[in-house]
Amino acid sequence: MNFVIPRLAPGDPIEVIAGRLMAQGGSSVDLKELVLEYRRMFGLDQDIPTQLLSYMGQLLQGNLGYSITVFPAKVQDLILNALPWTIGLLSLTTIISWTLGTFFGAVSGWRSKKSRLHDALNSIALSLYAIPYWLMAIILIFLLAYVIGIFPLSGGYTPGATPGLTLDFLKDVLWHAGLPALSIVTTSLGWWYISMKAMIASLRGEDFIILAEAKGLDQSQILWKHAFRNAIIPQVTGLALSLGNIMGGSIIMESIFAYPGLGWLLYHAIISLDYPVIQGITLLIIISVTSATLLIDLIYLVIDPRIKYGEQ
Amino acid sequence: MRYKVRLPKLRGFAERIPRYFRNWNLRIGFTVFSSIVLMATIGPFLIPYNPIRFGTFKPNLPPDSTHLLGTDSFGRDVLAQIVVGTNQSLTIAVTAALIGTLVGMLLGFMAGYYGGFIDAILRSITDIWLVIPMLPMLILIASMARRTEIWVMSLVLSLFSWAWPARQVRGQTLSLKNREFIYMAKLSGMGNTEIIFTEIMPHMLGWILTVLTSAVLWAMMAESGLEILGLGPQHTITLGMMLYWSNLYASIFRGLWWWWSPTIVMLILIFTSLYIMHIGVTEIVNPRTRKEGG
């Protein structure tokens, strides 16, 4: 799957590079010879089954091959360079918005009385959910980077800054992550809020809640000890799924902000048909999605005492 | 004879429509969305010039009385582009959603109704399809097409819009399959196809509407997401392509707010109205949250 689909695309990555070299004016070598040489180097002159076999063989040895467009770079290195940016930004924002959304959702689902604040929160959450993050990103760029000017426009750090574990660089990174993070947190918050609220509200009429009320427990205790624990299960599933999806889910955001993460890498690989890089990243995405699904089953054991595997 | 069994159900549905519209979510969502559709259908006929051609007017004009929303850097009227773009965007999204829902509906019906081997195969295909990272695949496919047309765009989107409807419809069919009236129909000698269309379908109508509204919403989001990367129909105008061009020409930082903001407002209006409509239909269909009013 991961191997076949990129190759179905018409067009030849080597021609793309040759065209770029031509445009740069550095065509001192005969271009046709160069193309052939490149093809031989990447094994693209062989037929597809041979290519697939050698890809599988390399993969088993943990070798993802070399990038075609950024030639001397190994795919592993490209991915490893981009990975921390994506994981750092997206896991943090996902967890922040999950925590906030779940908390406010629980509180607002528990209040059965209608109030102004309640209605306002609801409609804000609904409209936030219906706005995709890239629209929010454009609005935020306008407000915070153009009108007020407190955030930088794009990039992961100031050009020219030396990446390293210094405090200044860290501050720079956080400052650049501000806008993308804000747009993701605000838009995904709505969904966590809505789903948690619905769960808590549907639990209100259940027998065990009525029993807890009959025992005379106070409201906050019932909410956090009885209702919350039951309602949290689907929320955890959602969190694990969206954490598994972060590898592939940030392409649009990263290309709007020119953020040096996996999505940016993948987008450029796709545009220039860089097969090894596309394959490497899609493999990573598939692995992370499936392992997240596995993780959910394992987490259930811990948070839901009703589920036991291998017992009758 | 058999049609007499079916018609009262559909008529009952039609009679209940005014009651459904007591649901505020459905009412608001439907009103906003249908006025957008109306504008997008009639609007293009009212524009006396070609809104796609470059240099029709002076570039970068701020909004005034002749150009209500100004012009862009190519000298095109923004309002005219919005009208035509909404039309094209909705065409793409609705076509993709219709194809996806129809295919998904058929597959879901078959899987749920026949069960067994067919179900096992269809279900595993659907599950695999749902796990595939969709956005990278869409980008890949969209970047393959050398010249993206409106219909190419909707076909590409419909490749991925059938799996979710299929799963939803399968679940519903399973829960309907073992009800008594289906046994009655079988006993009375109805064929499988006939049972699906005359007995199960009318009960599924509401569910299919919820699936359809969410499919349109999904297709619209995926479409504008692809187009904002520049992977849409480059030779015509859609809402996503408008955002792409305005981003490419840094409209935000050149202070051309009238170029990008109307597009965003229009997209948000479409998204929220579809979503509110979806909530409304779900509230009516789902017996646990039924709020038909009255």
Side-chain angles (χ1 to χ4, degrees):
Chain A
M1 190 80 199
N2 164 21
F3 178 84
V4 172
I5 291 187
R7 276 177 173 68
L8 287 177
D12 185 336
I14 308 295
E15 302 277 355
V16 177
I17 300 176
R20 198 176 299 158
L21 281 179
M22 276 248 283
Q24 282 167 3
S27 56
S28 53
V29 225
D30 185 18
L31 215 60
K32 279 217 172 107
E33 233 168 77
L34 191 75
V35 168
L36 281 180
E37 181 65 20
Y38 258 110
R39 282 223 176 106
R40 201 182 48 72
M41 210 159 67
F42 287 103
L44 291 177
D45 52 347
Q46 285 147 342
D47 51 51
I48 299 282
T50 329
Q51 281 185 42
L52 179 62
L53 273 182
S54 78
Y55 171 67
M56 294 296 229
Q58 292 292 317
L59 198 64
L60 285 179
Q61 297 164 33
N63 187 359
L64 291 174
Y66 294 92
S67 159
I68 298 181
T69 24
V70 213
F71 167 57
K74 274 185 167 180
V75 174
Q76 279 105 310
D77 297 341
L78 283 178
I79 290 181
L80 283 180
N81 276 335
L83 206 56
W85 294 100
T86 296
I87 291 188
L89 176 68
L90 285 173
S91 57
L92 215 64
T93 50
T94 310
I95 289 169
I96 290 175
S97 76
W98 184 81
T99 320
L100 287 177
T102 307
F103 177 76
F104 284 115
V107 172
S108 119
W110 192 247
R111 293 254 164 79
S112 55
K113 273 186 209 157
K114 291 230 165 194
S115 70
R116 284 276 169 76
L117 183 74
H118 194 96
D119 289 347
L121 270 180
N122 272 345
S123 40
I124 291 174
L126 281 185
S127 45
L128 281 183
Y129 171 61
I131 300 174
Y133 60 88
W134 58 86
L135 284 189
M136 186 57 96
I138 296 176
I139 298 171
L140 287 177
I141 290 179
F142 174 69
L143 289 178
L144 298 180
Y146 176 71
V147 177
I148 307 180
I150 49 170
F151 280 112
L153 316 175
S154 61
Y157 50 89
T158 313
T162 39
L165 273 177
T166 57
L167 199 64
D168 280 346
F169 184 69
L170 222 59
K171 262 198 263 175
D172 195 40
V173 166
L174 282 179
W175 184 51
H176 277 80
L179 267 189
L182 207 58
S183 62
I184 296 176
V185 169
T186 45
T187 46
S188 54
L189 195 64
W191 166 246
W192 301 123
Y193 173 87
I194 292 168
S195 57
M196 187 64 183
K197 189 178 154 262
M199 272 308 294
I200 290 275
S202 75
L203 283 175
R204 273 201 72 102
E206 297 280 330
D207 289 345
F208 68 94
I209 300 289
I210 296 173
L211 177 68
E213 271 170 355
K215 282 197 296 190
L217 297 177
D218 64 319
Q219 290 286 317
S220 71
Q221 211 173 352
I222 302 174
L223 169 59
W224 298 114
K225 280 211 163 149
H226 296 261
F228 187 76
R229 281 198 182 177
N230 280 284
I232 198 77
I233 293 164
Q235 289 291 95
V236 172
T237 316
L239 177 67
L241 275 180
S242 58
L243 283 179
N245 275 321
I246 59 175
M247 302 286 180
S250 57
I251 299 177
I252 302 173
M253 189 274 296
E254 288 183 9
S255 57
I256 288 179
F257 287 102
Y259 199 77
L262 270 184
W264 179 244
L265 188 65
L266 180 58
Y267 174 64
H268 282 274
I270 290 175
I271 294 300
S272 56
L273 289 178
D274 196 342
Y275 302 141
V277 176
I278 302 177
Q279 284 158 11
I281 298 178
T282 34
L283 190 70
L284 195 68
I285 293 172
I286 290 169
I287 291 174
S288 71
V289 170
T290 38
S291 52
T293 324
L294 187 69
L295 199 69
I296 293 170
D297 286 349
L298 294 179
I299 291 175
Y300 274 172
L301 273 182
V302 182
I303 59 171
D304 191 347
R306 285 169 302 183
I307 295 177
K308 285 193 176 64
Y309 295 122
E311 281 178 34
Q312 290 293 311
Chain B
M1 186 60 199
R2 278 161 188 163
Y3 280 94
K4 279 185 186 163
V5 182
R6 179 184 163 202
L7 279 176
K9 279 177 195 155
L10 281 180
R11 204 168 58 211
F13 184 76
E15 275 165 4
R16 265 175 274 141
I17 286 178
R19 229 168 74 214
Y20 292 150
F21 271 87
R22 280 185 217 157
N23 181 306
W24 270 103
N25 282 329
L26 181 63
R27 200 189 282 184
I28 296 173
F30 185 79
T31 315
V32 175
F33 187 68
S34 51
S35 32
I36 292 173
V37 171
L38 199 70
M39 179 213 81
T41 334
I42 301 175
F45 295 107
L46 303 178
I47 302 167
Y49 45 84
N50 181 358
I52 300 162
R53 216 185 73 205
F54 288 4
T56 315
F57 305 104
K58 278 186 186 156
N60 303 334
L61 287 177
D64 59 15
S65 53
T66 41
H67 302 292
L68 286 177
L69 292 173
T71 61
D72 67 6
S73 292
F74 304 112
R76 300 181 287 187
D77 186 273
V78 174
L79 182 63
Q81 284 187 69
I82 293 264
V83 170
V84 175
T86 311
N87 182 325
Q88 313 258 48
S89 284
L90 285 177
T91 311
I92 295 174
V94 171
T95 320
L98 277 180
I99 296 176
T101 312
L102 222 67
V103 173
M105 211 169 77
L106 279 179
L107 294 181
F109 269 140
M110 273 161 64
Y113 187 75
Y114 292 111
F117 185 61
I118 299 178
D119 184 32
I121 290 180
L122 288 178
R123 202 183 54 213
S124 46
I125 296 177
T126 315
D127 285 349
I128 291 173
W129 215 261
L130 285 171
V131 175
I132 293 177
M134 195 179 56
L135 192 62
M137 288 299 158
L138 279 178
I139 293 177
L140 192 63
I141 299 169
S143 64
M144 281 179 199
R146 282 282 164 266
R147 193 189 152 97
T148 317
E149 306 280 352
I150 299 284
W151 61 270
V152 175
M153 201 67 192
S154 33
L155 280 187
V156 168
L157 289 172
S158 53
L159 274 183
F160 284 91
S161 62
W162 61 269
W164 186 245
R167 184 186 262 192
Q168 299 282 79
V169 170
R170 175 182 170 270
Q172 282 304 309
T173 316
L174 274 183
S175 82
L176 279 175
K177 190 169 81 170
N178 295 324
R179 304 267 179 90
E180 279 163 8
F181 64 91
I182 303 291
Y183 283 124
M184 283 298 291
K186 274 185 188 162
L187 281 180
S188 73
M190 279 186 173
N192 276 333
T193 338
E194 202 176 355
I195 292 179
I196 288 181
F197 282 100
T198 64
E199 295 294 325
I200 298 185
M201 275 279 232
H203 284 268
M204 303 271 303
L205 223 66
W207 280 105
I208 289 167
L209 276 180
T210 68
V211 168
L212 187 67
T213 44
S214 69
V216 176
L217 180 62
W218 172 86
M220 196 67 211
M221 283 195 175
E223 180 211 341
S224 53
L226 276 181
E227 286 169 350
I228 212 171
L229 295 174
L231 296 170
Q234 301 238 356
H235 306 274
T236 176
I237 276 297
T238 63
L239 291 176
M241 288 315 285
M242 282 184 70
L243 274 184
Y244 169 70
W245 292 119
S246 65
N247 269 354
L248 199 67
Y249 285 80
S251 62
I252 292 181
F253 305 107
R254 289 161 62 209
L256 306 174
W257 56 267
W258 57 87
W259 191 1
W260 58 268
S261 56
T263 325
I264 287 194
V265 170
M266 183 47 99
L267 279 172
I268 289 178
L269 272 181
I270 294 176
F271 290 144
T272 31
S273 64
L274 275 171
Y275 183 56
I276 291 175
M277 205 155 75
H278 173 70
I279 295 176
V281 180
T282 316
E283 276 173 357
I284 292 169
V285 172
N286 189 344
R288 289 182 75 170
T289 53
R290 183 167 286 164
K291 281 190 232 161
E292 286 178 19

